[in-house]
Amino acid sequence: MKKILSILIVSMLAMNAMAANEDAKKESAETSTTMVSTIKGKVVDKSTGEALAGVSVKLDENTVVYTDFEGNFSINLTQPKAKICVSLISYATTEVEVKKSSNQVKIELSSVE
């Protein structure tokens, strides 16, 4: 009886492991079909053309990046297109639609007076 019970337990564990392996393969396949594209851009002052550092570039609640000292940023997209929200204190917040096919995006912010 113990031998039969042991064989059943081992069989159930093996089947569970195989099912988990199949789930992992499916997740891997789904992830590989979701292509990630990196969008690069530069944020400048609209009136002076000067690069703006520390600008918040927000894709969604979990994806926010900031521009470097030269106003450059890069952000990853997994959708064909998305809207990014660009904001900096004393400048008007701007929404810009970007596409995966975009290589370089230039965003001009207007100061609020």
Side-chain angles (χ1 to χ4, degrees):
M1 183 71 169
K2 285 184 181 180
K3 194 172 189 179
I4 293 174
L5 187 57
S6 296
I7 291 172
L8 284 173
I9 291 173
V10 169
S11 297
M12 288 175 57
L13 290 173
M15 288 180 5
N16 196 14
M18 288 189 316
N21 190 25
E22 287 299 315
D23 288 343
K25 284 181 184 178
K26 286 180 186 175
E27 285 181 31
S28 176
E30 288 172 5
T31 303
S32 65
T33 58
T34 306
M35 299 288 289
V36 174
S37 178
T38 301
I39 304 298
K40 295 183 179 188
K42 183 168 189 156
V43 182
V44 298
D45 182 293
K46 188 172 185 172
S47 62
T48 66
E50 290 183 34
L52 296 173
V55 177
S56 168
V57 181
K58 183 177 180 179
L59 178 62
D60 56 39
E61 294 300 318
N62 299 318
T63 310
V64 179
V65 297
Y66 297 91
T67 58
D68 63 13
F69 287 110
E70 284 119 23
N72 299 312
F73 71 91
S74 65
I75 196 162
N76 293 326
L77 295 182
T78 56
Q79 302 296 321
K81 62 182 178 178
K83 284 188 180 180
I84 56 174
C85 182
V86 184
S87 62
L88 181 65
I89 294 174
S90 77
Y91 286 86
T93 299
T94 304
E95 277 193 1
V96 178
E97 187 172 295
V98 291
K99 299 177 182 177
K100 275 185 164 182
S101 60
S102 303
N103 291 331
Q104 187 74 21
V105 178
K106 182 177 180 183
I107 300 170
E108 297 177 323
L109 293 183
S110 300
S111 60
V112 178
E113 298 186 28

